[in-house]
Amino acid sequence: MRTDNFQAPDYYNIDELLTDEHKIVRDAAREWVKREVSPIIEDAAQKAEFPKSIISGLAEIGAFGPYIPEEYGGAGLDQISYGLIMQEIERGDSGVRSTASVQSSLVMFPIYKYGNEEQRKEYLPKLASGEFMGCFGLTEPDHGSNPRGMTTNFKDKGDHYLLNGAKMWISNAPFADIAVVWAKDENGRIHGLIVERGMEGFSTPETHNKWSLRASATGELIFDNVKVPKENLMPNKSGLGAPLGCLDSARYGIAWGAIGAAMDCYDTALRYAKERVQFNKPIAGTQLQQKKLAEMITEITKAQLMAWRLGVLKNEGKATSAQISMAKRNNVEMAIKIAREARQVLGGMGITGEYSIMRHMMNLESVITYEGTHDIHLLITGMDITGIPAFQ
């Protein structure tokens, strides 16, 4: 088992911008990752298995719905606390952060915002404690960046809805107890339904042979004439804006999470460069390695400031979807570039499981695509600043 010697970089004293509560929440998550995730994650990734043993720990550090009010089992924290938890978890592994992001932003968030009081009381406490795990069904085999074209649908059968269709690339699907599924009614309007494991005709085949997010469980959602009780439809918002609102919350978490992956790669590369001796001196004393390391810490610092400011805007209810897209796109690109540079600092050692860098690099290849691809987020910014959509 690998010893976790991580030391978080804070070049601009950003800790001074955080409250005492922020730091307590972050430090608790950081210590938990060091103790429970780092020693097992390389083995889990090599075996392509999600370590279910950590679910209870994720719940204990408030990773499931941290901003959900305490009356529904959440921690009642603010948006910066949520971001910091995601940062620390992704410092451990993007796949583990994906599990927490889905549970929080794509399952608990819509039930809290779009569900009724009965649904909130029924599901949120169980999701917050990890007793229930959830997944989010939006992406389809033929509809990724264009979710409006979804074909999954439900028909009113009097005392229930009849749901048919399929979803793809669904984190947590293989073991989820419930799925928040987006489907069209008979008029083509998109609604969210809560589908429970065990409903006849509902299956969740696992996706195998992934080279990325190997310590995360990914699967499909198949609906073959599934009878969904009418009380499982979330009544308070419909239309494409409903699932996109969930994605805003998830993308915000990713903007913070990617910083964690970048910090881990930077910290690993810095420590290695100080210890690795060539030509009678540490390679950290060479100009090219210092260039890499200096650029890494610069980009991490910029991303930290962007995420913090976005968190302030989120807390004030002022953050726009376009601002969240910019942060997600920028910070994930930053992280993947740092992972590649850090791998070069380590030379051949950088590809081994003895270090975390190659795992981060492979994971980030998924993160740069999911929750809106890198290119789509660029077009979201382009539309925001010009007023002209260029998606087709």
PDB file of all heavy atoms in Angstrom, residues 297-307 330-331:
ATOM      1  N   ILE A 297       2.234  25.169 -11.036  1.00  0.00           N
ATOM      2  CA  ILE A 297       1.713  25.865  -9.864  1.00  0.00           C
ATOM      3  C   ILE A 297       0.993  27.151 -10.277  1.00  0.00           C
ATOM      4  O   ILE A 297       0.013  27.568  -9.636  1.00  0.00           O
ATOM      5  CB  ILE A 297       2.834  26.160  -8.829  1.00  0.00           C
ATOM      6  CG1 ILE A 297       2.231  26.656  -7.507  1.00  0.00           C
ATOM      7  CG2 ILE A 297       3.843  27.143  -9.362  1.00  0.00           C
ATOM      8  CD1 ILE A 297       1.263  25.714  -6.845  1.00  0.00           C
ATOM      9  N   THR A 298       1.444  27.776 -11.354  1.00  0.00           N
ATOM     10  CA  THR A 298       0.755  28.971 -11.857  1.00  0.00           C
ATOM     11  C   THR A 298      -0.661  28.624 -12.298  1.00  0.00           C
ATOM     12  O   THR A 298      -1.634  29.311 -11.937  1.00  0.00           O
ATOM     13  CB  THR A 298       1.532  29.581 -13.034  1.00  0.00           C
ATOM     14  OG1 THR A 298       2.849  29.929 -12.608  1.00  0.00           O
ATOM     15  CG2 THR A 298       0.836  30.832 -13.560  1.00  0.00           C
ATOM     16  N   GLU A 299      -0.802  27.570 -13.078  1.00  0.00           N
ATOM     17  CA  GLU A 299      -2.128  27.191 -13.584  1.00  0.00           C
ATOM     18  C   GLU A 299      -3.044  26.696 -12.462  1.00  0.00           C
ATOM     19  O   GLU A 299      -4.245  26.982 -12.467  1.00  0.00           O
ATOM     20  CB  GLU A 299      -1.983  26.117 -14.663  1.00  0.00           C
ATOM     21  CG  GLU A 299      -1.284  26.604 -15.927  1.00  0.00           C
ATOM     22  CD  GLU A 299      -1.935  27.846 -16.515  1.00  0.00           C
ATOM     23  OE1 GLU A 299      -3.182  27.856 -16.657  1.00  0.00           O
ATOM     24  OE2 GLU A 299      -1.214  28.816 -16.809  1.00  0.00           O
ATOM     25  N   ILE A 300      -2.490  25.981 -11.499  1.00  0.00           N
ATOM     26  CA  ILE A 300      -3.296  25.538 -10.352  1.00  0.00           C
ATOM     27  C   ILE A 300      -3.803  26.751  -9.581  1.00  0.00           C
ATOM     28  O   ILE A 300      -4.982  26.808  -9.188  1.00  0.00           O
ATOM     29  CB  ILE A 300      -2.469  24.619  -9.438  1.00  0.00           C
ATOM     30  CG1 ILE A 300      -2.267  23.247 -10.096  1.00  0.00           C
ATOM     31  CG2 ILE A 300      -3.136  24.452  -8.071  1.00  0.00           C
ATOM     32  CD1 ILE A 300      -1.287  22.352  -9.384  1.00  0.00           C
ATOM     33  N   THR A 301      -2.947  27.734  -9.372  1.00  0.00           N
ATOM     34  CA  THR A 301      -3.333  28.926  -8.623  1.00  0.00           C
ATOM     35  C   THR A 301      -4.446  29.680  -9.334  1.00  0.00           C
ATOM     36  O   THR A 301      -5.424  30.124  -8.705  1.00  0.00           O
ATOM     37  CB  THR A 301      -2.104  29.836  -8.410  1.00  0.00           C
ATOM     38  OG1 THR A 301      -1.101  29.114  -7.692  1.00  0.00           O
ATOM     39  CG2 THR A 301      -2.477  31.082  -7.627  1.00  0.00           C
ATOM     40  N   LYS A 302      -4.331  29.825 -10.645  1.00  0.00           N
ATOM     41  CA  LYS A 302      -5.390  30.486 -11.411  1.00  0.00           C
ATOM     42  C   LYS A 302      -6.712  29.735 -11.279  1.00  0.00           C
ATOM     43  O   LYS A 302      -7.777  30.345 -11.092  1.00  0.00           O
ATOM     44  CB  LYS A 302      -4.975  30.598 -12.883  1.00  0.00           C
ATOM     45  CG  LYS A 302      -3.865  31.620 -13.124  1.00  0.00           C
ATOM     46  CD  LYS A 302      -3.067  31.332 -14.380  1.00  0.00           C
ATOM     47  CE  LYS A 302      -3.845  31.381 -15.640  1.00  0.00           C
ATOM     48  NZ  LYS A 302      -2.961  31.186 -16.840  1.00  0.00           N
ATOM     49  N   ALA A 303      -6.648  28.412 -11.354  1.00  0.00           N
ATOM     50  CA  ALA A 303      -7.866  27.600 -11.246  1.00  0.00           C
ATOM     51  C   ALA A 303      -8.467  27.694  -9.846  1.00  0.00           C
ATOM     52  O   ALA A 303      -9.700  27.728  -9.688  1.00  0.00           O
ATOM     53  CB  ALA A 303      -7.554  26.147 -11.596  1.00  0.00           C
ATOM     54  N   GLN A 304      -7.627  27.727  -8.822  1.00  0.00           N
ATOM     55  CA  GLN A 304      -8.122  27.868  -7.450  1.00  0.00           C
ATOM     56  C   GLN A 304      -8.890  29.176  -7.275  1.00  0.00           C
ATOM     57  O   GLN A 304      -9.965  29.197  -6.656  1.00  0.00           O
ATOM     58  CB  GLN A 304      -6.954  27.823  -6.463  1.00  0.00           C
ATOM     59  CG  GLN A 304      -6.320  26.443  -6.287  1.00  0.00           C
ATOM     60  CD  GLN A 304      -5.074  26.503  -5.419  1.00  0.00           C
ATOM     61  OE1 GLN A 304      -4.261  27.427  -5.544  1.00  0.00           O
ATOM     62  NE2 GLN A 304      -4.903  25.527  -4.547  1.00  0.00           N
ATOM     63  N   LEU A 305      -8.341  30.247  -7.821  1.00  0.00           N
ATOM     64  CA  LEU A 305      -9.005  31.549  -7.691  1.00  0.00           C
ATOM     65  C   LEU A 305     -10.318  31.567  -8.463  1.00  0.00           C
ATOM     66  O   LEU A 305     -11.320  32.133  -7.998  1.00  0.00           O
ATOM     67  CB  LEU A 305      -8.065  32.659  -8.172  1.00  0.00           C
ATOM     68  CG  LEU A 305      -6.878  32.931  -7.249  1.00  0.00           C
ATOM     69  CD1 LEU A 305      -5.829  33.788  -7.953  1.00  0.00           C
ATOM     70  CD2 LEU A 305      -7.337  33.607  -5.963  1.00  0.00           C
ATOM     71  N   MET A 306     -10.340  30.962  -9.643  1.00  0.00           N
ATOM     72  CA  MET A 306     -11.577  30.900 -10.423  1.00  0.00           C
ATOM     73  C   MET A 306     -12.644  30.103  -9.673  1.00  0.00           C
ATOM     74  O   MET A 306     -13.805  30.519  -9.591  1.00  0.00           O
ATOM     75  CB  MET A 306     -11.314  30.275 -11.798  1.00  0.00           C
ATOM     76  CG  MET A 306     -12.572  30.089 -12.636  1.00  0.00           C
ATOM     77  SD  MET A 306     -12.236  29.341 -14.262  1.00  0.00           S
ATOM     78  CE  MET A 306     -11.869  30.804 -15.223  1.00  0.00           C
ATOM     79  N   ALA A 307     -12.252  28.955  -9.124  1.00  0.00           N
ATOM     80  CA  ALA A 307     -13.218  28.114  -8.418  1.00  0.00           C
ATOM     81  C   ALA A 307     -13.742  28.815  -7.167  1.00  0.00           C
ATOM     82  O   ALA A 307     -14.948  28.759  -6.870  1.00  0.00           O
ATOM     83  CB  ALA A 307     -12.578  26.776  -8.050  1.00  0.00           C
ATOM     84  N   ASN A 330     -12.031  25.067 -18.280  1.00  0.00           N
ATOM     85  CA  ASN A 330     -10.680  25.549 -18.002  1.00  0.00           C
ATOM     86  C   ASN A 330      -9.949  24.643 -17.022  1.00  0.00           C
ATOM     87  O   ASN A 330      -8.793  24.270 -17.229  1.00  0.00           O
ATOM     88  CB  ASN A 330     -10.738  26.966 -17.432  1.00  0.00           C
ATOM     89  CG  ASN A 330      -9.370  27.514 -17.100  1.00  0.00           C
ATOM     90  OD1 ASN A 330      -8.666  28.026 -17.977  1.00  0.00           O
ATOM     91  ND2 ASN A 330      -8.956  27.413 -15.848  1.00  0.00           N
ATOM     92  N   ASN A 331     -10.628  24.276 -15.943  1.00  0.00           N
ATOM     93  CA  ASN A 331      -9.934  23.568 -14.885  1.00  0.00           C
ATOM     94  C   ASN A 331      -9.630  22.126 -15.254  1.00  0.00           C
ATOM     95  O   ASN A 331      -8.600  21.583 -14.840  1.00  0.00           O
ATOM     96  CB  ASN A 331     -10.742  23.653 -13.590  1.00  0.00           C
ATOM     97  CG  ASN A 331     -10.746  25.061 -13.015  1.00  0.00           C
ATOM     98  OD1 ASN A 331     -10.242  25.998 -13.630  1.00  0.00           O
ATOM     99  ND2 ASN A 331     -11.322  25.225 -11.836  1.00  0.00           N
TER     100      ASN A 331
END
